[in-house]
Amino acid sequence: MPIMTPGAFAYPGTSLDFRTGSWRTARPVYQVRPSPCHAACPAGENPRDYLARMAEANPRAAWETLVAFNPLPAITGRVCEHPCESACNRGQFDAAIAIHNVERWLGDEAVRAAWDYPLPAPAAEAPEVAVVGAGPAGLSCAYHLLRLGIRATVIDRLPEAGGTLRTALPCYRLPREVLDAEIGRLLAAGIPFVGRTRLGQHVSLAELSQDYAAVFLAPGRQQPRRWDVDGRTPKDLHPALTLLQDWVALDAVPAIHSALIVGGGNSAIDMARVLARTGAEVHLVTHDAMPGPGVSRDVAMKAAPRDIDQAIEEGVTIHVEHGIRRLILRGEKVVGVELVRLKKLLRGDGRYEVVPFEGTETVLHVDQVIPAVGQVVDADGMGSLLSENGFFAAGEDMRLPGRDAIYAGGDARERAWGTVSGAVGDGRKAALALHAHLSGRRYETGPAPRPMAIADLNLNYFERAPRAEETLLPPGLRQGCAEIAAGLSPEKVGAEAQRCFSCGDCLACDNCWTLCPDQAVLKSRAPLAEGARYHIDYDYCKGCGLCAHECPAGYIVMEAESRPAGRQQGP
Amino acid sequence: MTTETLHDLRGDQPRFQGLEAGHRACQGCGQALAARLTLEAAGPDVVLANATGCLEVFTTAWPDSAWRVPWLHSLFANAASVAAGMEAALKMQGRDVKVIALAGDGGTFDIGFQALSGMLERGHNVLFVCYDNEGYMNTGVQRSSSTPHAAATTTSPAGVARIGKRHLKKDILSIVAAHHIPYAATASVAYPTDLRKKVRRAIQVDGPSFLQVHAPCPLGWGHGGELSIEVARLAVQTGLFPLIELERDVLIGAMPIRRVRGIKDYLRPQGRFRHLFADDPRAREELAHLQALADHNIEVYGLRGDRPDTLDSEGADTVHRGGRHFA
């Protein structure tokens, strides 16, 4: 009913009686959409979310957001090749966020401040899972099981937990104190660890299957892959893995005048760097290309670009897209190799073929050839579970086909990521699948959603800002276990977090609230029930789409209005 | 969320909402946004005199009002005179309340022009805000003296004889500033912080002040409602709508343009300039003419920024987590 006033004037704000929302043909909806960093992270982390907490100057909440996916941030912050940063939309604007350094700082800060892992104490009647292998996959699986209320015991053939992190990662990349502190804290949070227990020798798989509700196998790849050139190998062949393990454990490196490392992965680069530090002349040959913009991951060296750069700084000569055609032997001892240029070319069937080019052969004189061409699984105690090619044929849910309660992941899996963060992700997926299995549900994974592209953002609202770079130890000072990368100061970590575009999630920038011509966006001082700061009042929203167009982060999407256009009730 | 909580939330907004929802502006209306932003900065202690026009019509469909401040409409031509009278009466009563006159470009450049000039000349303590949507949009998109050169309207159609409006956009700011008033400025809805800063400045001034706010009209300009801010931003970044401030007819400030865009970026999303993209030598000439007008503005007002500046055309709309920018 219209309100009649003596002077025929209207009371303030009475237009609220008129619901302009009925004009709408499309409605804006706040929708959290996947960020590219999240989609790219093999561990399943969502850097956008912890960068947001960090930008709000709440490091503890940031760390808790982070360890909801990855319990080892101080470690992965140092050793992961950070595909999140390659995917970061900011990389196409000025420079990617230094996510690895935020992650590293949060991990270190948690150790320093002794923040407890957010883990509930498992119920007394909770089922228990046996985890074989205390590397990143096994530890991650046990941790995530515990988060889900399932107890887990980790066994390992070595006396200490850590797996490949401990046996083969050089301490200048991952200092022992960082490794010991983070893994020690994780185990202390409630994960029983039984060392010096070798599967097939001290305990059998059948016993584990009988004593535990399920088994997760994460033995890693501990055997060097066989290597030869046309069936020939030098007499004094030492695989890189063995040499690296000796160096890590005993600080012992054989005296070599000149060496050629074969391979393009992290072990090859680590081996090359360790030898170069002894003053040896070190070459590295790989079929792969140098990673860089426009180079497909399929043909690029598997080692992290950062480590490749540091190896070159330290004097390693890298021959990319070269192969060994022939070993030049004097008796049984190698004195050189014949190299040939080659390329991995994409064939019609979608596979890459290595094509050597005739007439590009050169001779390189070296007195050692050290293969670092990958590792295979040590089959002891679980040989019957491995597929023909020597790995576990685990599916997306990490379950072994045909086995009900045996799961496997980490490097020992076929098509493994071959990285620490990949192993952490495998452990988490296995825990989720085990949790579903033990509670009698199906483990469902939907199709991977399309991550936000830079075109989905409104870049008008962002300013260029330089990326915070950490200082690196100069090559001349890189000795022993001195850590090369210094990390960032807390101030710089905060600044990096502020640079995040927040792709697909609310930046709380007020743009929608400020720019709505119809006052249909309401702002709340405290977070609303849905966790958001803004609420669209559909009684008045006319559906113009301005908020969605001007949202810097692409957090607002327009959806077609499903109801038929209602007749507006007149006054 | 329940109706009650929504109602409570609406009553608890951390800003002054002088213009309420439920008004009948078109989807994506630049003027509705500009009016709310103005009142947000001007605060509750103001009274408004509104000329006839879109703003008057869509905010006060009888018997409702979308306003939360005292508001008066009399005629198309006399908003400035009414405001002057209100100011004089309030002064007599000894009340310190700022009077704001609101008008579209018709009520400023054309029909309300002499009343505006008189108010400025008599030195009333009134802020006159012109929402410049470059035409008579309420009555069906007729050309005004603010319609830009070469734009098509129903009374300056693009056809065989002519290719949109023949005449130039009137330089109202120079005319107003020539009254030697303390403050006159242009602003744009694409830069809300800048707009509110200028409103606060204009409110503080003792004496007449004037703001010309560029406010896109999706209906009259022929672009999607979602593009209103985008189009307004491009008007600034091409140099076609310079954001400047004048005190006593002297240029005291201009928003530098960090990255000068070509005028086609601004013209292309708008239906009123569609004919300029036809394969026609006259269209090419008019494009060159409009580009020359933009270049002229950039030169005359010294708009080209020599280094990135947080208050230039790229920096002034930068957002931050937590919304401090718009606080």
Side-chain angles (χ1 to χ4, degrees):
Chain A
M1 272 296 288
I3 299 164
M4 296 303 293
T5 53
F9 64 84
Y11 284 105
T14 39
S15 60
L16 286 171
D17 293 342
F18 191 82
R19 307 292 163 100
T20 51
S22 63
W23 302 3
R24 202 170 51 239
T25 56
R27 66 163 56 199
V29 177
Y30 292 119
Q31 199 175 87
V32 178
R33 292 156 79 193
S35 56
C37 48
H38 176 48
C41 180
E45 280 178 24
N46 196 343
R48 175 192 70 198
D49 289 358
Y50 61 76
L51 287 168
R53 301 292 86 74
M54 202 56 215
E56 292 161 3
N58 192 346
R60 180 154 194 179
W63 178 77
E64 285 178 357
T65 310
L66 169 51
V67 297
F69 295 94
N70 173 9
L72 303 170
I75 292 169
T76 51
R78 285 174 168 83
V79 304
C80 181
E81 82 284 20
H82 43 75
C84 50
E85 293 185 23
S86 310
C88 177
N89 278 329
R90 186 112 203 176
Q92 297 172 56
F93 183 73
D94 46 13
I97 313 287
I99 298 171
H100 74 282
N101 264 327
V102 178
E103 181 186 41
R104 167 181 167 164
W105 183 85
L106 285 170
D108 287 351
E109 184 66 10
V111 171
R112 193 193 64 76
W115 292 331
D116 290 331
Y117 282 94
L119 285 172
E125 71 279 12
E128 186 163 13
V129 172
V131 173
V132 179
L139 291 175
S140 164
C141 181
Y143 166 78
H144 283 286
L145 285 170
L146 206 53
R147 281 177 64 87
L148 296 162
I150 299 167
R151 290 177 296 147
T153 297
V154 181
I155 67 168
D156 198 284
R157 64 192 174 92
L158 296 176
E160 285 181 289
T164 303
L165 295 171
R166 190 175 294 281
T167 58
L169 269 167
C171 52
Y172 54 81
R173 279 214 282 148
L174 177 61
R176 293 300 100 166
E177 11 353 323
V178 173
L179 175 70
D180 290 341
E182 195 152 61
I183 289 187
R185 270 165 46 77
L186 182 60
L187 294 178
I191 300 172
F193 171 70
V194 184
R196 296 191 177 88
T197 306
R198 190 184 272 273
L199 200 63
Q201 187 179 341
H202 303 109
V203 64
S204 75
L205 196 57
E207 286 166 347
L208 288 181
S209 296
Q210 199 168 7
D211 295 348
Y212 294 90
V215 181
F216 177 62
L217 300 172
R221 300 187 180 188
Q222 304 298 343
Q223 291 280 338
R225 194 191 290 275
R226 279 185 51 80
W227 176 84
D228 60 56
V229 177
D230 295 333
R232 303 180 74 180
T233 49
K235 170 97 172 165
D236 53 345
L237 186 74
H238 300 289
L241 184 72
T242 320
L243 292 177
L244 272 176
Q245 285 173 347
D246 288 352
W247 179 72
V248 168
L250 311 167
D251 198 16
V253 193
I256 293 173
H257 175 65
S258 62
L260 175 68
I261 319 292
V262 186
N266 280 316
S267 301
I269 289 288
D270 287 338
M271 188 70 247
R273 294 175 73 180
V274 167
L275 283 178
R277 287 169 171 224
T278 67
E281 176 191 337
V282 182
H283 296 262
L284 186 147
V285 62
T286 170
H287 291 181
D288 300 326
M290 191 62 79
V295 180
S296 153
R297 271 182 82 88
D298 297 327
V299 301
M301 290 173 71
K302 301 293 174 284
R306 169 190 60 197
D307 296 314
I308 298 172
D309 290 347
Q310 290 177 6
I312 294 170
E313 283 172 8
E314 290 163 19
V316 176
T317 310
I318 299 182
H319 307 269
V320 287
E321 299 188 306
H322 275 76
I324 297 178
R325 168 142 289 182
R326 188 167 69 84
L327 290 176
I328 303 170
L329 299 175
R330 186 166 295 159
E332 289 180 320
K333 186 169 163 24
V334 73
V335 291
V337 291
E338 185 182 315
L339 298 181
V340 64
R341 280 179 184 277
L342 48 79
K343 223 170 171 62
K344 284 183 168 177
L345 295 176
L346 193 58
R347 291 308 187 192
D349 59 358
R351 301 171 82 93
Y352 284 92
E353 187 186 343
V354 175
V355 183
F357 300 113
E358 199 184 337
T360 63
E361 298 83 357
T362 47
V363 168
L364 181 70
H365 289 288
V366 287
D367 51 29
Q368 271 285 351
V369 175
I370 300 171
V373 292
Q375 289 95 251
V376 293
V377 179
D378 185 344
D380 282 359
M382 47 200 167
S384 60
L385 297 174
L386 296 171
S387 66
E388 274 175 24
N389 58 15
F391 300 110
F392 292 114
E396 258 302 285
D397 59 355
M398 305 295 141
R399 193 169 63 86
L400 287 184
R403 304 282 174 160
D404 201 27
I406 301 183
Y407 291 68
D411 279 357
R413 180 169 67 87
E414 272 179 14
R415 297 184 302 280
W417 291 87
T419 61
V420 177
S421 49
V424 168
D426 277 9
R428 183 175 138 266
K429 280 188 209 159
L432 292 170
L434 278 161
H435 176 246
H437 168 71
L438 294 175
S439 45
R441 288 182 294 106
R442 272 178 64 85
Y443 174 66
E444 310 266 5
T445 48
R450 184 184 72 89
M452 297 283 291
I454 192 161
D456 299 326
L457 310 175
N458 191 328
L459 298 177
N460 283 299
Y461 293 103
F462 297 110
E463 278 278 75
R464 272 161 229 285
R467 168 184 161 112
E469 296 293 353
E470 59 195 325
T471 48
L472 300 178
L473 210 56
L477 298 178
R478 294 180 193 168
Q479 267 154 13
C481 283
E483 189 172 15
I484 291 171
L488 294 180
S489 66
E491 294 75 26
K492 285 188 172 176
V493 167
E496 278 304 283
Q498 290 285 358
R499 289 177 68 230
C500 177
F501 282 162
S502 189
C503 307
D505 199 1
C506 187
L507 196 55
C509 69
D510 282 355
N511 247 16
C512 51
W513 183 61
T514 303
L515 298 177
C516 175
D518 301 310
Q519 286 73 267
V521 177
L522 300 176
K523 181 178 178 173
S524 168
R525 290 163 207 265
L528 299 164
E530 309 90 287
R533 287 277 176 185
Y534 310 97
H535 189 88
I536 293 171
D537 188 344
Y538 293 109
D539 280 349
Y540 302 103
C541 169
K542 296 169 185 165
C544 67
L546 202 124
C547 53
H549 190 81
E550 298 303 326
C551 178
Y555 172 56
I556 308 177
V557 292
M558 296 301 291
E559 287 178 354
E561 199 63 68
S562 51
R563 63 168 165 70
R567 219 178 87 82
Q568 177 59 50
Q569 300 202 325
Chain B
M1 190 173 269
T2 64
T3 315
E4 290 73 35
T5 20
L6 263 184
H7 185 267
D8 291 348
L9 193 57
R10 183 172 287 282
D12 188 34
Q13 291 297 288
R15 69 178 176 201
F16 176 62
Q17 214 151 263
L19 183 63
E20 198 42 273
H23 62 68
R24 275 72 149 177
C26 305
Q27 294 167 326
C29 176
Q31 200 177 30
L33 172 57
R36 198 207 69 226
L37 290 171
T38 305
L39 283 175
E40 214 178 297
D45 288 335
V46 290
V47 293
L48 307 181
N50 204 156
T52 305
C54 278
L55 185 65
E56 173 253 322
V57 170
F58 75 66
T59 57
T60 53
W62 191 87
D64 296 341
S65 170
W67 298 99
R68 287 207 178 276
V69 289
W71 176 94
L72 179 64
H73 166 245
S74 168
L75 297 173
F76 207 145
N78 69 357
S81 312
V82 171
M86 288 157 80
E87 184 256 355
L90 286 164
K91 202 153 85 181
M92 280 298 291
Q93 295 171 18
R95 293 169 73 183
D96 183 25
V97 177
K98 190 82 181 187
V99 179
I100 302 179
L102 305 174
D105 48 289
T108 307
F109 289 60
D110 301 342
I111 299 172
F113 185 62
Q114 72 84 16
L116 167 63
S117 181
M119 184 275 284
L120 297 175
E121 180 263 329
R122 294 189 301 273
H124 290 281
N125 186 14
V126 168
L127 163 60
F128 191 101
V129 185
C130 167
Y131 297 114
D132 185 3
N133 57 17
E134 307 188 328
Y136 291 88
M137 302 318 190
N138 182 38
T139 48
V141 195
Q142 290 84 15
R143 57 89 86 188
S144 77
S145 59
S146 170
T147 304
H149 179 66
T153 66
T154 52
T155 48
S156 63
V160 181
R162 248 181 238 158
I163 186 150
K165 186 185 170 187
R166 184 167 45 154
H167 314 94
L168 297 176
K169 181 181 170 91
K170 187 191 274 184
D171 182 4
I172 192 75
L173 197 74
S174 294
I175 300 169
V176 165
H179 290 76
H180 212 65
I181 60 169
Y183 187 74
T186 56
S188 167
V189 288
Y191 294 95
T193 310
D194 178 72
L195 167 59
R196 285 180 297 209
K197 183 193 81 181
K198 285 169 176 168
V199 170
R200 285 194 289 269
R201 177 90 184 83
I203 287 280
Q204 280 161 9
V205 160
D206 189 24
S209 50
F210 178 85
L211 267 184
Q212 179 189 0
V213 183
H214 205 221
C217 170
L219 174 81
W221 296 12
H223 59 76
E226 78 280 10
L227 293 181
S228 289
I229 298 296
E230 182 83 41
V231 163
R233 184 189 297 123
L234 286 166
V236 174
Q237 294 181 346
T238 52
L240 280 171
F241 195 89
L243 298 188
I244 54 173
E245 290 174 287
L246 301 161
E247 282 184 8
R248 305 282 182 202
D249 202 12
V250 174
L251 184 72
I252 57 135
M255 181 186 282
I257 306 176
R258 189 185 303 178
R259 191 163 68 94
V260 178
R261 309 275 293 251
I263 50 141
K264 285 183 186 174
D265 289 355
Y266 170 64
L267 305 178
R268 206 182 302 266
Q270 301 182 54
R272 62 177 176 158
F273 294 114
R274 189 182 293 124
H275 54 280
L276 298 183
F277 295 94
D279 186 19
D280 181 341
R282 293 179 307 161
R284 283 192 286 278
E285 184 187 325
E286 294 301 1
L287 280 177
H289 188 171
L290 287 167
Q291 184 63 61
L293 289 170
D295 294 345
H296 177 75
N297 281 341
I298 290 169
E299 190 186 317
V300 167
Y301 296 113
L303 298 178
R304 199 178 289 273
D306 51 0
R307 70 179 76 84
D309 188 310
T310 51
L311 295 179
D312 67 14
S313 60
E314 305 287 327
D317 56 0
T318 301
V319 296
H320 298 283
R321 184 178 293 280
R324 275 168 301 167
H325 179 72
F326 285 145

